[in-house]
Amino acid sequence: MCGTEACLIKCSPVPCVTPETRENGTLIKWDTLINLDHGDPVMYESYWRKMGNRCDITFSGYQSLSYFANAKNLCWFLEPKLEEEIKRLHNVVGNAIVDDHYIVVGTGSSQLIQAALYALSPTDEPEPISVVSAAPFYSSYPEVTDFVRSGLYKWAGDARNFEKDGPYIEFITSPNNPDGVTREPVVNGIQGILIHDLAYYWPQYTAITSPAKYDVMLFTVSKCTGHAGSRIGWALVRDKEVARKMTKFMEISTIGVSKEAQLRAAKILGLISDSCLDPTLENFFEYSQSHMTKRWQRLREVVKSSDLFTLQKYPLQYCHFTRDFYESHPAFAWLMCKGSEDDLEKLLKGYKIQTRSGRKFGSDPKCVRISMLSRDEDFNIFLQRLMSIQGVTNGN
Amino acid sequence: MCGTEACLIKCSPVPCVTPETRENGTLIKWDTLINLDHGDPVMYESYWRKMGNRCDITFSGYQSLSYFANAKNLCWFLEPKLEEEIKRLHNVVGNAIVDDHYIVVGTGSSQLIQAALYALSPTDEPEPISVVSAAPFYSSYPEVTDFVRSGLYKWAGDARNFEKDGPYIEFITSPNNPDGVTREPVVNGIQGILIHDLAYYWPQYTAITSPAKYDVMLFTVSKCTGHAGSRIGWALVRDKEVARKMTKFMEISTIGVSKEAQLRAAKILGLISDSCLDPTLENFFEYSQSHMTKRWQRLREVVKSSDLFTLQKYPLQYCHFTRDFYESHPAFAWLMCKGSEDDLEKLLKGYKIQTRSGRKFGSDPKCVRISMLSRDEDFNIFLQRLMSIQGVTNGN
């Protein structure tokens, strides 16, 4: 493997001709794309490997045949054990009020986004309700809202440009995806219906400044623990009728949510709570905070030495969970191009780094979103390649 | 427990004042509703209990974190092991051609129904495409088609009454839910797009007369093995672009399908195939055929002795899987009222038997659908109560 510094000097626009070595000893060729487009949270694998068999869960052939988990619950397919561990974790972390809220489980938070739109849209209006979010907004909102061309709700773009009278739904993603910024509602109209997407409101990403207590709050296991393959999300819903309609959405669209995924998620959330309370276990959030902090420090160093790039900045805030000040270390880096390059995604793709263009977030193509949750080996190669771009630029 | 015969003579309109005993020794009170509305396949638990730990599957904390199962596959979230076991089972049973079809996995077949509608609907038409199915049709089709008021597709009712020109989508459910009848397309228009829902095309329910080879075929673990709680279904899709669009639907609506559920389903389908090939294992389909046959015999006896009810009849057909003649024993009984009673669901509800009215299937409220897949104890109580209605009627 070429040393990073030496490599930079020798580099052509395709950064490393010499193959780079992955951590597991296999070679990665110079033309292998490093995919940081999706927020695939495989970074967390290292923590779960360290936990050994503490989270093992075994299913027998005769378990969980029924559609029902608890026929008496409003959300009849929600496993009681998952409900219990969701409540426990929010109480341990202090990031959301759960006591006066109903829990609705979903096949990831994507399904809950649709369930919330379904439950909150008026049914007696001739026109679909407008759905907005402030740019840069999560790139899936427009597609999720419009893909089957619903007559109930319709994507209406950037919340900052929304000036129509009447009811509307606003997504508030806080910390925001893609740029990690803490957010408040933007439109502030009298007939606004708010959905708070709190997928990233966990201590590894941001300071927990107070417990969230909104009408509809969405969370997902994917970004909390890294188990994206399980497809488990949950909504905390204050109003009973809204919770009932969201449950109805799940019933019609998928007749509930996989029991295996729910029970495994319960086990995993349980271990995270335990790790915060039992000093003999490595605290999950301390581990992941430390991991994210190191990655961000390294990325900032690379970007700092660059004429081409700049990164979003975050304030230091007091975190009630860690009882210390913490600067956000978001799951995505929001990288901006200072130079004349108009299409940053394209530029990085030329260096075999796949990112997601700002255009997809209703923003500037001079920005890209970059996943910070890849495996260490991919993150290292990403930094090498990013440095090589600067090397080339500096050399020009 | 009151003996069944004795009970009949003594019965008031509420059949048993004396509590009935469940198989596990607990008492079931006379006012406990027996819920046979849903097709909850808990009957199969007994087989899986007999299989002991042969289907056990353990997940460690570090497994399946990624969204991806196989990034190179068209259906990138489909677990290779599940794909393999789906293909193997269809080849063992001979109920569907898989070799020239793509497999798309879904969160139950409900999600695949929507994915198929999304993939098959024209995108350049001003009006949504009409979706039809011949009554009595699966009660969820109208709701699944219309619940978010899609501009792509719209429920247009009973296929037998459909006379509009132009493109349309027809669901062909065979064997049919609710009435168990083998079906062909009904509209037969030149611009018809067909979705074959084959959830019940398994040897316990009907004779396997030939391998199905349609453009879009839907299957579900729920009705094949009984694992409804897992929410795993699959589509066999001939056309690559249709498969790609169905995969896109899954990506937008739930970003894939739970890995735990898929891997467990693979294990379970694998054991079913093994049980058909290995004589030391109890053959799953023989076991479930035998179970269904006995239930149907007992139900037919009760109905036969009644002046009030009649049941759908089925032909004897040669089954290429069992190499024997087999009469269908559907997952649902389609019970019809011969008497003057107009609302059979209401009548049975008065006897604490919850069924689903024919009205919900676009049919006659003198019919109801009754799940035949309950636990033995519930099925026994159902028969007792059904007999008691006759007792009362005969006594009148």
Side-chain angles (χ1 to χ4, degrees):
Chain A
M1 181 184 146
C2 65
T4 307
E5 297 300 324
C7 186
L8 286 183
I9 299 162
K10 283 188 286 180
C11 263
S12 71
V14 174
C16 266
V17 180
T18 319
E20 295 151 339
T21 312
R22 282 187 181 268
E23 279 184 352
N24 62 6
T26 61
L27 286 180
I28 174 166
K29 289 190 187 150
W30 61 263
D31 60 350
T32 303
L33 194 71
I34 296 295
N35 196 332
L36 304 173
D37 176 355
H38 310 277
D40 207 25
V42 283
M43 178 193 89
Y44 294 101
E45 246 182 52
S46 53
Y47 177 83
W48 296 108
R49 282 195 187 276
K50 287 178 86 173
M51 288 298 108
N53 59 5
R54 281 198 183 85
C55 271
D56 281 8
I57 184 164
T58 300
F59 296 96
S60 301
Y62 59 81
Q63 283 182 294
S64 300
L65 274 88
S66 177
Y67 289 101
F68 296 89
N70 179 3
K72 289 177 186 162
N73 195 332
L74 182 143
C75 185
W76 53 267
F77 47 82
L78 170 59
E79 284 288 340
K81 189 70 188 158
L82 180 59
E83 182 169 18
E84 180 189 324
E85 294 296 353
I86 287 170
K87 286 182 177 172
R88 184 167 162 242
L89 185 60
H90 282 303
N91 285 327
V92 166
V93 173
N95 62 340
I97 295 288
V98 285
D99 289 343
D100 56 351
H101 282 68
Y102 296 90
I103 296 179
V104 181
V105 65
T107 310
S109 63
S110 307
Q111 196 183 20
L112 292 163
I113 288 171
Q114 295 154 74
L117 291 176
Y118 172 79
L120 297 168
S121 296
T123 52
D124 51 359
E125 295 287 326
E127 289 295 309
I129 191 169
S130 296
V131 179
V132 297
S133 189
F137 44 71
Y138 175 36
S139 53
S140 290
Y141 288 151
E143 199 169 37
V144 160
T145 307
D146 283 347
F147 77 131
V148 295
R149 300 188 195 165
S150 172
L152 295 173
Y153 39 81
K154 191 175 169 55
W155 179 249
D158 188 349
R160 292 183 222 277
N161 300 331
F162 185 72
E163 286 175 349
K164 221 169 121 183
D165 283 335
Y168 66 91
I169 294 174
E170 181 177 350
F171 282 112
I172 299 116
T173 315
S174 187
N176 192 38
N177 174 1
D179 64 2
V181 169
T182 299
R183 283 197 159 183
E184 298 288 335
V186 162
V187 184
N188 295 316
I190 16 172
Q191 294 188 66
I193 303 166
L194 309 182
I195 300 173
H196 281 82
D197 185 340
L198 305 182
Y200 302 94
Y201 193 42
W202 295 102
Q204 66 267 52
Y205 304 121
T206 193
I208 304 302
T209 52
S210 66
K213 44 186 175 186
Y214 306 110
D215 287 348
V216 179
M217 300 183 266
L218 307 182
F219 290 91
T220 167
V221 162
S222 304
K223 306 306 177 185
C224 172
T225 76
H227 292 83
S230 303
R231 312 308 311 121
I232 292 293
W234 65 93
L236 305 180
V237 184
R238 184 150 20 202
D239 183 78
K240 192 172 185 175
E241 275 317 300
V242 173
R244 203 187 297 281
K245 280 195 78 177
M246 288 182 72
T247 300
K248 187 74 187 167
F249 180 94
M250 300 294 161
E251 187 181 318
I252 302 172
S253 66
T254 53
I255 323 185
V257 174
S258 159
K259 303 279 178 293
E260 295 88 351
Q262 287 191 62
L263 291 168
R264 184 166 178 239
K267 188 109 186 180
I268 287 162
L269 295 184
L271 189 113
I272 292 193
S273 291
D274 291 346
S275 83
C276 299
L277 302 168
D278 177 352
T280 68
L281 289 171
E282 181 161 13
N283 185 308
F284 172 77
F285 294 114
E286 280 176 20
Y287 179 91
S288 45
Q289 267 195 353
S290 147
H291 215 111
M292 292 299 282
T293 305
K294 279 182 209 146
R295 285 195 174 187
W296 271 94
Q297 279 170 347
R298 293 177 63 204
L299 176 63
R300 286 201 186 276
E301 275 165 32
V302 170
V303 167
K304 203 174 163 186
S305 67
S306 153
D307 293 333
L308 250 186
F309 305 122
T310 181
L311 280 166
Q312 176 76 44
K313 286 192 183 117
Y314 306 101
L316 208 61
Q317 289 179 295
Y318 185 75
C319 175
H320 287 270
F321 172 70
T322 55
R323 292 178 191 164
D324 204 350
F325 283 87
Y326 190 64
E327 185 191 302
S328 291
H329 297 108
F332 298 103
W334 186 238
L335 190 72
M336 291 166 266
C337 192
K338 290 193 287 187
S340 58
E341 190 64 53
D342 279 339
D343 189 335
L344 185 51
E345 181 190 277
K346 193 174 160 199
L347 172 76
L348 294 173
K349 185 108 184 247
Y351 288 80
K352 303 293 171 191
I353 305 165
Q354 179 70 55
T355 61
R356 191 172 293 182
S357 171
R359 202 182 282 118
K360 293 191 180 150
F361 303 92
S363 185
D364 196 325
K366 286 175 91 72
C367 304
V368 292
R369 189 191 79 167
I370 300 172
S371 170
M372 294 293 283
L373 304 178
S374 67
R375 288 199 179 82
D376 280 346
E377 55 194 306
D378 286 5
F379 187 74
N380 292 337
I381 295 168
F382 157 59
L383 287 190
Q384 275 179 36
R385 292 185 182 178
L386 198 66
M387 277 218 267
S388 80
I389 304 175
Q390 301 165 223
V392 172
T393 307
N394 290 339
N396 280 344
Chain B
M1 180 183 148
C2 64
T4 307
E5 296 301 324
C7 186
L8 287 183
I9 298 162
K10 284 188 285 182
C11 264
S12 71
V14 174
C16 265
V17 179
T18 320
E20 295 150 337
T21 314
R22 284 187 179 266
E23 278 182 354
N24 63 6
T26 61
L27 285 181
I28 174 166
K29 289 192 186 146
W30 62 262
D31 62 349
T32 303
L33 194 71
I34 296 294
N35 195 333
L36 304 173
D37 175 355
H38 310 276
D40 207 24
V42 283
M43 178 192 91
Y44 293 101
E45 246 181 50
S46 54
Y47 177 83
W48 296 109
R49 282 195 186 276
K50 288 178 85 171
M51 287 298 107
N53 60 5
R54 280 197 184 86
C55 272
D56 281 9
I57 185 165
T58 300
F59 295 96
S60 302
Y62 59 81
Q63 284 181 295
S64 300
L65 274 88
S66 177
Y67 289 101
F68 295 89
N70 179 3
K72 289 177 186 161
N73 196 333
L74 182 144
C75 185
W76 53 267
F77 47 81
L78 169 60
E79 283 288 338
K81 189 71 188 157
L82 180 59
E83 181 169 21
E84 181 190 324
E85 293 296 355
I86 286 170
K87 287 182 176 173
R88 184 168 161 240
L89 185 61
H90 282 304
N91 285 326
V92 166
V93 173
N95 63 340
I97 295 287
V98 284
D99 289 343
D100 57 351
H101 282 69
Y102 295 90
I103 296 179
V104 181
V105 65
T107 310
S109 63
S110 307
Q111 196 184 20
L112 292 162
I113 288 170
Q114 295 154 75
L117 291 176
Y118 172 79
L120 296 168
S121 296
T123 52
D124 51 0
E125 296 286 326
E127 289 296 309
I129 191 169
S130 296
V131 179
V132 298
S133 189
F137 44 71
Y138 175 37
S139 53
S140 290
Y141 288 151
E143 198 170 37
V144 161
T145 307
D146 283 347
F147 77 131
V148 294
R149 301 189 194 164
S150 173
L152 296 173
Y153 40 80
K154 191 175 169 58
W155 179 248
D158 188 350
R160 292 184 222 278
N161 301 330
F162 184 72
E163 286 175 350
K164 218 170 125 184
D165 284 334
Y168 66 91
I169 293 174
E170 181 178 349
F171 281 112
I172 299 117
T173 315
S174 187
N176 191 38
N177 174 1
D179 66 0
V181 169
T182 299
R183 284 196 157 183
E184 299 287 337
V186 161
V187 184
N188 294 316
I190 17 170
Q191 293 188 66
I193 303 166
L194 309 181
I195 300 173
H196 280 81
D197 186 340
L198 305 181
Y200 302 94
Y201 194 42
W202 295 103
Q204 65 267 51
Y205 304 122
T206 193
I208 304 302
T209 52
S210 66
K213 45 185 173 187
Y214 305 110
D215 287 348
V216 179
M217 301 183 267
L218 307 183
F219 291 91
T220 167
V221 162
S222 305
K223 306 307 175 184
C224 172
T225 75
H227 292 82
S230 303
R231 311 309 310 121
I232 291 294
W234 66 93
L236 305 180
V237 184
R238 187 152 15 203
D239 183 78
K240 192 173 185 174
E241 275 317 300
V242 173
R244 201 187 299 279
K245 278 194 79 177
M246 288 180 72
T247 300
K248 186 73 188 168
F249 180 94
M250 301 294 161
E251 188 182 318
I252 301 171
S253 67
T254 53
I255 322 186
V257 174
S258 159
K259 303 279 176 293
E260 295 89 352
Q262 287 191 61
L263 291 168
R264 184 166 177 239
K267 187 109 185 179
I268 286 162
L269 295 184
L271 190 112
I272 292 192
S273 291
D274 290 347
S275 83
C276 298
L277 302 169
D278 177 352
T280 67
L281 289 171
E282 181 160 15
N283 184 310
F284 172 77
F285 293 114
E286 281 176 19
Y287 179 92
S288 46
Q289 267 195 353
S290 149
H291 215 110
M292 291 301 281
T293 304
K294 278 182 208 145
R295 285 194 174 185
W296 271 94
Q297 279 170 349
R298 292 177 62 203
L299 176 63
R300 286 200 185 276
E301 275 166 30
V302 170
V303 167
K304 203 175 161 185
S305 67
S306 152
D307 294 333
L308 250 187
F309 305 122
T310 181
L311 280 167
Q312 177 74 43
K313 287 195 181 114
Y314 306 101
L316 208 60
Q317 287 179 296
Y318 186 75
C319 175
H320 288 271
F321 172 70
T322 54
R323 293 178 190 164
D324 205 351
F325 284 86
Y326 190 64
E327 186 190 303
S328 290
H329 296 108
F332 298 104
W334 185 238
L335 189 74
M336 291 166 268
C337 191
K338 290 193 288 189
S340 58
E341 189 63 54
D342 279 338
D343 189 336
L344 185 51
E345 182 190 276
K346 193 175 158 197
L347 173 75
L348 294 173
K349 185 108 183 247
Y351 288 81
K352 304 291 171 193
I353 306 166
Q354 179 69 55
T355 61
R356 191 173 293 182
S357 170
R359 203 182 282 117
K360 292 190 180 149
F361 304 93
S363 184
D364 197 326
K366 286 177 90 74
C367 303
V368 291
R369 190 191 78 166
I370 301 173
S371 171
M372 295 292 284
L373 304 179
S374 67
R375 287 199 180 81
D376 281 346
E377 54 194 307
D378 286 4
F379 187 74
N380 291 338
I381 295 167
F382 157 58
L383 286 190
Q384 277 180 35
R385 293 185 182 178
L386 197 67
M387 277 216 270
S388 79
I389 304 175
Q390 300 164 224
V392 172
T393 306
N394 290 340
N396 280 346

